[in-house]
Amino acid sequence: MRAIEHALSNAARRDGGSSHGSRRRILLIHQNFPGQFRHLARHLATRPDVEVIGLGRDTAPGLDGFPWFKYRLHRTVKAETHPYLRQMEAAVLHGQAVARAMAALKRKGFVPDVILAHPGWGETLYAKEIFPAARLIHFCEWYYSTTGADFGFDPEFPPDLDDRLRITTWNALHLLNLQHCDAAIAPTRWQKSRFPAEYQPRIQVIHEGIDTENLGPDPDATLVLSRRHSDLRQAQSLPRARSGDRPGSAQAGIQRLLSLKETKAERT
């Protein structure tokens, strides 16, 4: 919300007032709308000084009672596309479909002051071509890395060269996203730290918050491990993996991760 307020104030200073009255217009874009913008969308919808709509793919769940529009890809990624470029082609297809949807909104008279988007699927690649004056805020959820994060962390399944080259190529989209946006936000410092150092000063850390009414300690909660005929309760130790546990099983995987954590703690 802080990023949107800042963008709205910048827009007001830039044009000296809204061309559509005192209400500012906000466009929320998410491939799986509402995605991370669910609570923000509902909050913005209660403000009399804001007109807000959403845009998502035709497969998105949407948000009851909230005005949103759908976009549809005109085709899928072609099988003959180079494997390294398939995700980028998918991003172009998403960007093209969203550009067409935004152009339709523009013809209907909706011109946003601020666009807040999750750009991970390529939706905002061409946003500035349709709405050049809009302040574009990107939700920077992830920047890929071939080591040290969600890729190549399991020694049981080491990545090969093709895997590393493909992951590296995927980041072309995220670099374009950083180049296009006016402001960027990340939900945690760690997620911000995954992005290239030269772009990190542009990214604000704004935590998404925690729904403590639904997410919190439950002393009565249990995890039932049926194969071991045991129930785990709060603060109870995990049963040790047996020698017969196959290497790829969840039990063996958890034990391996715990062992790695213990070993690292001993080294530090």
Side-chain angles (χ1 to χ4, degrees):
M1 193 62 220
R2 295 200 307 269
I4 288 182
E5 294 286 5
H6 182 68
L8 287 174
S9 63
N10 281 346
R13 288 195 298 269
R14 181 193 64 226
D15 60 25
S18 175
S19 59
H20 32 265
S22 59
R23 300 180 77 195
R24 289 289 168 177
R25 288 177 168 173
I26 300 175
L27 176 61
L28 304 178
I29 304 176
H30 197 297
Q31 181 259 4
N32 197 40
F33 186 82
Q36 288 94 335
F37 305 147
R38 175 181 299 274
H39 301 296
L40 179 63
R42 291 206 181 281
H43 170 74
L44 290 171
T46 66
R47 291 183 46 165
D49 61 329
V50 166
E51 180 184 358
V52 57
I53 64 173
L55 183 60
R57 190 171 173 178
D58 55 350
T59 55
L63 189 60
D64 290 342
F66 186 90
W68 71 288
F69 296 85
K70 301 176 182 180
Y71 69 86
R72 176 177 294 179
L73 306 189
H74 75 280
R75 68 170 178 84
T76 59
V77 174
K78 294 184 177 180
E80 59 268 26
T81 299
H82 193 291
Y84 300 174
L85 294 174
R86 285 172 186 163
Q87 186 159 338
M88 191 63 191
E89 183 179 7
V92 169
L93 290 168
H94 279 80
Q96 182 184 48
V98 169
R100 290 169 174 171
M102 288 190 293
L105 288 174
K106 189 174 184 179
R107 288 193 296 272
K108 294 178 181 179
F110 185 88
V111 177
D113 298 289
V114 175
I115 300 172
L116 172 62
H118 188 315
W121 292 269
E123 284 89 345
T124 57
L125 276 174
Y126 314 114
K128 288 285 192 174
E129 298 302 318
I130 309 299
F131 299 123
R135 305 290 292 182
L136 179 59
I137 305 173
H138 276 165
F139 180 84
C140 296
E141 185 174 20
W142 196 242
Y143 190 86
Y144 291 104
S145 172
T146 57
T147 58
D150 66 335
F151 183 79
F153 61 87
D154 191 338
E156 189 176 348
F157 304 101
D160 60 21
L161 179 61
D162 270 335
D163 291 329
R164 297 198 302 273
L165 299 184
R166 185 179 69 255
I167 290 292
T168 299
T169 307
W170 285 359
N171 279 329
L173 168 63
H174 300 298
L175 290 173
L176 282 171
N177 290 335
L178 288 167
Q179 192 65 32
H180 290 165
C181 69
D182 297 295
I185 57 176
T188 66
R189 292 187 180 91
W190 186 74
Q191 283 167 283
K192 173 181 176 177
S193 74
R194 306 308 302 172
F195 287 83
E198 55 267 36
Y199 285 99
Q200 288 183 29
R202 301 183 60 187
I203 303 174
Q204 298 182 57
V205 175
I206 302 178
H207 197 272
E208 294 175 290
I210 298 173
D211 184 356
T212 55
E213 291 185 5
N214 294 308
L215 300 173
D218 182 357
D220 298 323
T222 60
L223 173 64
V224 179
L225 302 177
S226 57
R227 291 181 61 187
R228 293 184 177 278
H229 306 290
S230 60
D231 295 355
L232 295 180
R233 296 183 179 275
Q234 189 178 24
Q236 185 177 340
S237 299
L238 186 71
R240 280 295 186 189
R242 297 171 297 194
S243 58
D245 283 332
R246 57 187 177 85
S249 68
Q251 181 70 17
I254 291 172
Q255 286 298 338
R256 187 169 69 248
L257 290 173
L258 290 175
S259 299
L260 290 171
K261 183 177 179 181
E262 290 169 359
T263 302
K264 183 177 180 180
E266 291 172 359
R267 288 200 301 266
T268 56

